[in-house]
Amino acid sequence: MAGGYVLCEWAEVQADYPKFQASFAALENAIIRKTNLDWAPKTNGFMLPASDQYGRTTILPSAFRGDGMTYSTTPPAGTNFIAHWRQTLTSTGHRTLIMGERSGNLIPEDIKVAWIGLAFPNKQQHITEIRFQIGDRKFGRVDLEPMRAYETPALIFEDGFILDEETGFDLYGYVEGPIPTLLWGPTTPCVYQSIVMLGALYYKNINKVLGNTGTVIP
């Protein structure tokens, strides 16, 4: 992947990876330049955009769908958006963990994402490898087992990526077994794994983010 990555403590990104602030700033400058062109004549209004501006917020989980048994508004979610980053995993092996929310696993229209990394705030980690695809561009597998040396691990990209509107996104992972007998619903053993996408989300119209919290992006 462009520029590589670093594994570190989520709470100590600045200390473990001193270039993080500069890398994230460069990524945001790149997405702002692109967004200024794509959404002209709108300009960046950051957290409080006016009617002629676009806005910025955190990456919202509801812009994505998750593994098939992850909670959304009414479990089991199946093909629904995710309302939070905690995944409910019911089987081992290769799984699609996070994907674009729209049909075809696309990022929603009028949404752009500056993606700088992933955090895994679990006491016990269940994902041992990941790989991902952005549009037609496929990235190689990344071994995550070294992150078990950290309390709250994060994977930070040195350059980061722009997930453009109406572009496909898929994050795959290997779920290590065994699945313990923790019941989700009446009968299904599962494990819980939080996978938090780090970065920023830009929206063309503020109505995209004014709905009830935890609901799908319109």
Side-chain angles (χ1 to χ4, degrees):
M1 62 192 66
Y5 65 91
V6 63
L7 289 171
C8 59
E9 289 285 359
W10 187 11
E12 300 175 6
V13 171
Q14 294 280 23
D16 292 345
Y17 179 39
K19 295 181 180 179
F20 170 76
Q21 197 65 39
S23 296
F24 192 27
L27 176 62
E28 289 224 79
N29 286 336
I31 198 171
I32 288 170
R33 287 194 300 269
K34 177 175 176 53
T35 303
N36 285 341
L37 290 172
D38 292 350
W39 293 347
K42 286 179 177 281
T43 58
N44 190 3
F46 297 95
M47 292 289 289
L48 291 171
S51 59
D52 60 346
Q53 294 179 310
Y54 61 86
R56 176 193 187 278
T57 186
T58 58
I59 301 180
L60 300 175
S62 52
F64 300 89
R65 287 181 288 133
D67 185 81
M69 294 300 286
T70 294
Y71 279 90
S72 119
T73 50
T74 305
T79 59
N80 292 342
F81 70 96
I82 49 179
H84 49 69
W85 294 119
R86 188 180 70 167
Q87 298 277 4
T88 305
L89 307 173
T90 59
S91 64
T92 60
H94 178 79
R95 306 296 297 263
T96 304
L97 299 174
I98 299 176
M99 66 202 87
E101 188 273 329
R102 294 297 195 256
S103 176
N105 301 351
L106 304 183
I107 301 297
E109 184 181 9
D110 297 336
I111 294 291
K112 298 178 188 289
V113 175
W115 184 36
I116 195 66
L118 295 164
F120 301 85
N122 266 55
K123 293 299 182 184
Q124 181 176 353
Q125 302 299 331
H126 304 287
I127 309 297
T128 60
E129 277 190 5
I130 60 167
R131 69 176 177 87
F132 57 91
Q133 180 170 342
I134 302 172
D136 295 330
R137 190 178 181 188
K138 298 179 180 180
F139 297 83
R141 291 155 55 183
V142 178
D143 177 32
L144 297 182
E145 290 187 90
M147 75 182 185
R148 289 175 173 168
Y150 298 99
E151 286 290 324
T152 307
L155 182 149
I156 304 297
F157 303 127
E158 291 186 359
D159 291 333
F161 302 93
I162 294 174
L163 309 182
D164 204 4
E165 57 184 322
E166 299 186 286
T167 297
F169 174 74
D170 297 274
L171 174 68
Y172 307 101
Y174 186 86
V175 180
E176 184 183 45
I179 300 291
T181 307
L182 298 175
L183 296 184
W184 179 67
T187 60
T188 307
C190 68
V191 294
Y192 299 109
Q193 174 72 57
S194 292
I195 309 166
V196 181
M197 295 190 66
L198 304 177
L201 180 148
Y202 289 79
Y203 51 88
K204 189 174 184 179
N205 300 299
I206 197 169
N207 288 338
K208 287 284 185 181
V209 296
L210 287 183
N212 291 337
T213 55
T215 59
V216 69
I217 289 178

